[in-house]
Amino acid sequence: MPNKEMLLIPGPTPVLDEIYAALASETYAHTDPRVVTATLESLQMARQMFNTDGEVFIVAGSGTLAMEMAIVNTVAAGEKILVLTHGFFGDRFIKLAESFGIAVDSIAPPWGQRVDPKEVAAKLAANTYKAVTVTHVDTSTGVLADLETLVPLVKRYNALFILDGVCATAAVAEDMQHDYGSGAKIDVVLTGSQKAIGVPPGLAIIAFGPQALAARAQLPRIPAYYADINNWLPIMKDPSKYFATPAVNMLYAYRRAMQIVLAEGLEKRYARHLRLGQAIRAALATYGLRPLAEESVAAPTLTCLQYPEGIVDLEFRKFLAGRGVVVAGALASLAGKAFRIGHMGNVTAAELRQAVGLIGEALAAQGRKADIAAAQAKFDANI
Ligand SMILES: *Cc1c(COP(=O)(O)O)cnc(C)c1O
């Protein structure tokens, strides 16, 4: 694989050659012992990353399937959930739940800000919620959810804590046996393969803790078939059994990626992402690019940056794409006014440093003064 575009959108992220090589391995029968082994090893490594004493599921699909699995397996039509949303992907839970006849309340602060815990506490006190959804990092805004505050708050009311980790898993800690206080723990973590794990898109990965598994067991029937974890439970225990054909080559790639994640070490990987986020924001601030989320709530995995006056979004991104760096536009009301840059997965500090330089050139091409040396010095000082 001639390497490559620098894919700095918030997923998919750059894929390492050794992961491509795993993807290109021969496709064996899905029941072949070698595929069974790949599946069991993949599950084991996911279990280790989430540190769960529950069950992990890996199925073909995108992150949205994992969101759907989290909801339909725990909440019945007519029951109510609370959606805490920090942007576009948090909002997705509202439509998703409503399409299954689930009642939804939501708390949605202005984009770039965190939910107010007092408002969350008031909602929890005044209603009965089966579950509360939280997006660990919202990919539209670059806001990181405050688990230290939210997990104990939600668990005080015994609602299930469902965490969307699609833009955080493998870059920010998601430890399902971590006690956030008085035994409060995360019940479900869901994710996709293509963000901080660094695999191409195509796998939904989801972990159910004991209370979430019990919630499924209490539902007699759910409005799903492919997404029903009861159909997958026997397969995850014995992958030589068949329910629906697994994405064999994606499992090879995922296994390789997880070996890379664990070889780096989870704590080291989380610390590296913290530094990458701080360094890229410090560097780009020298150009007058303002993060939507202030530093105290900013995500280690991606940043949404507002353009200074007079910068034309499409031209800016076209300039970068012409030099091999792909960044994403902003969503909803920010479209044209901001762009998003991913700094997660197996992207290196050297690549991001180079991107800092090219972003300076892109701004300069539109007549903005950009001190590239100063920006890169800021990057170096923070990395
Ligand atoms: C990307 C993303 C999703 C959606 O995942 P798909 O793989 O596109 O279905 C959901 N939640 C978050 C936080 C995301 O970043």
Side-chain angles (χ1 to χ4, degrees):
M1 175 72 56
N3 230 0
K4 321 156 195 178
E5 281 184 349
M6 216 192 287
L7 197 54
L8 302 184
I9 59 175
T13 59
V15 176
L16 297 177
D17 285 341
E18 50 200 299
I19 294 172
Y20 281 128
L23 193 61
S25 308
E26 188 173 347
T27 303
Y28 298 127
H30 55 285
T31 50
D32 185 287
R34 290 165 289 191
V35 175
V36 171
T37 301
T39 308
L40 291 174
E41 289 178 2
S42 294
L43 287 165
Q44 173 50 36
M45 288 187 282
R47 183 179 297 280
Q48 190 179 335
M49 176 170 62
F50 295 127
N51 187 31
T52 179
D53 54 352
E55 300 289 346
V56 177
F57 303 84
I58 304 176
V59 302
S62 83
T64 305
L65 173 69
M67 294 171 73
E68 191 156 317
M69 288 176 77
I71 297 296
V72 295
N73 284 286
T74 56
V75 187
E79 292 181 324
K80 203 180 200 181
I81 67 168
L82 176 62
V83 172
L84 305 181
T85 173
H86 293 139
F88 182 87
F89 287 99
D91 291 352
R92 178 165 284 192
F93 275 115
I94 300 173
K95 284 215 173 102
L96 195 161
E98 284 174 351
S99 56
F100 290 99
I102 294 164
V104 182
D105 282 348
S106 63
I107 300 178
W111 276 28
Q113 293 174 31
R114 274 181 176 165
V115 290
D116 177 356
K118 284 200 212 76
E119 213 179 315
V120 179
K123 279 268 192 226
L124 286 165
N127 296 273
T128 301
Y129 297 114
K130 181 71 169 291
V132 176
T133 67
V134 174
T135 311
H136 202 172
V137 170
D138 202 298
T139 316
S140 58
T141 55
V143 171
L144 174 72
D146 176 12
L147 299 185
E148 297 295 331
T149 304
L150 294 176
V151 179
L153 190 51
V154 167
K155 295 312 293 182
R156 203 174 305 151
Y157 294 89
N158 214 29
L160 292 166
F161 194 98
I162 295 175
L163 186 65
D164 173 353
V166 180
C167 204
T169 303
V172 189
E174 292 172 332
D175 180 338
M176 296 177 74
Q177 291 190 77
H178 178 72
D179 185 347
Y180 285 89
S182 310
K185 290 175 189 168
I186 301 165
D187 295 298
V188 176
V189 180
L190 64 100
T191 198
S193 53
Q194 77 272 28
K195 298 194 184 175
I197 301 172
V199 177
L203 289 180
I205 301 127
I206 183 163
F208 280 68
Q211 201 184 332
L213 290 168
R216 173 65 192 89
Q218 281 156 17
L219 299 174
R221 210 159 47 82
I222 67 164
Y225 178 65
Y226 186 77
D228 185 348
I229 59 166
N230 278 358
N231 286 327
W232 290 107
L233 262 175
I235 311 304
M236 298 299 131
K237 298 214 181 304
D238 177 4
S240 71
K241 292 202 173 103
Y242 170 76
F243 167 57
T245 311
V248 169
N249 291 59
M250 286 300 295
L251 285 166
Y252 303 154
Y254 177 78
R255 171 173 63 177
R256 188 72 200 103
M258 286 304 296
Q259 288 165 346
I260 291 166
V261 167
L262 296 176
E264 181 176 1
L266 289 173
E267 293 310 321
K268 280 201 178 137
R269 195 172 172 94
Y270 301 153
R272 175 169 66 83
H273 280 88
L274 266 183
R275 287 196 306 275
L276 286 180
Q278 286 161 356
I280 198 100
R281 285 186 292 272
L284 297 181
T286 58
Y287 299 147
L289 290 166
R290 235 167 6 97
L292 179 69
E294 67 176 59
E295 194 59 33
S296 60
V297 305
T301 47
L302 96 137
T303 302
C304 179
L305 293 141
Q306 301 166 96
Y307 292 117
E309 205 60 41
I311 298 295
V312 180
D313 172 47
L314 274 180
E315 272 180 41
F316 172 83
R317 287 191 285 129
K318 215 164 123 189
F319 181 99
L320 287 175
R323 284 149 187 83
V325 172
V326 187
V327 297
L331 300 175
S333 66
L334 285 175
K337 297 181 194 142
F339 72 99
R340 295 174 301 146
I341 183 166
H343 29 83
M344 67 181 132
N346 295 319
V347 70
T348 65
E351 287 169 319
L352 285 174
R353 187 182 194 280
Q354 195 190 335
V356 166
L358 289 167
I359 287 169
E361 287 179 30
L363 294 169
Q366 292 193 39
R368 172 111 194 154
K369 254 183 66 191
D371 187 342
I372 290 171
Q376 288 181 327
K378 274 272 183 217
F379 185 86
D380 296 340
N382 281 275
I383 205 66

